Amino acid sequence: MTAIIQNEKRWDITGDIGMDNANSLLVSSKRLTLTDEAVIDFAKVGEVDTSTVSLMLEWQRRAVAENKQITFVNLPKNLTSLTALYGVTALIES
């Protein structure tokens, strides 16, 4: 089961992220507070696909719209490879 939980400034994500659940994670995240220096932690994420990149870009757009800073940490290697493949590494790095 995939979940997203807020722990103060940190959003902890657990489970796999794919096309079947990325949108529900996005909806769940809209209920969370995006703090000034938010951290989105992927340490407990298993499998990912291209929808994960889209999800990260949505969170980045939200941060820009709310004038907040977010940092993505503990990205799985395959997610780092996907962001490089799509040329969006600079957009998700702090």
Side-chain angles (χ1 to χ4, degrees):
M1 183 172 151
T2 303
I4 186 168
I5 301 167
Q6 183 159 8
N7 293 312
E8 297 183 17
K9 291 184 176 187
R10 180 179 297 271
W11 292 2
D12 294 317
I13 307 169
T14 57
D16 299 336
I17 304 172
M19 296 235 184
D20 60 330
N21 65 359
N23 191 55
S24 64
L25 273 177
L26 179 61
V27 170
S28 294
S29 72
K30 290 181 180 182
R31 295 183 207 116
L32 303 179
T33 303
L34 193 58
T35 60
D36 287 334
E37 295 177 3
V39 173
I40 301 177
D41 193 345
F42 286 78
K44 297 179 183 174
V45 170
E47 297 296 317
V48 298
D49 65 18
T50 57
S51 63
T52 310
V53 177
S54 296
L55 183 60
M56 294 170 73
L57 292 171
E58 284 295 323
W59 287 331
Q60 187 68 298
R61 281 190 278 276
R62 176 180 170 188
V64 168
E66 295 181 20
N67 199 27
K68 308 287 183 176
Q69 175 79 25
I70 60 171
T71 303
F72 298 104
V73 297
N74 299 314
L75 299 180
K77 288 185 181 190
N78 54 346
L79 182 54
T80 303
S81 296
L82 284 172
T83 61
L85 176 67
Y86 290 109
V88 296
T89 303
L91 296 175
I92 62 165
E93 289 182 342
S94 300

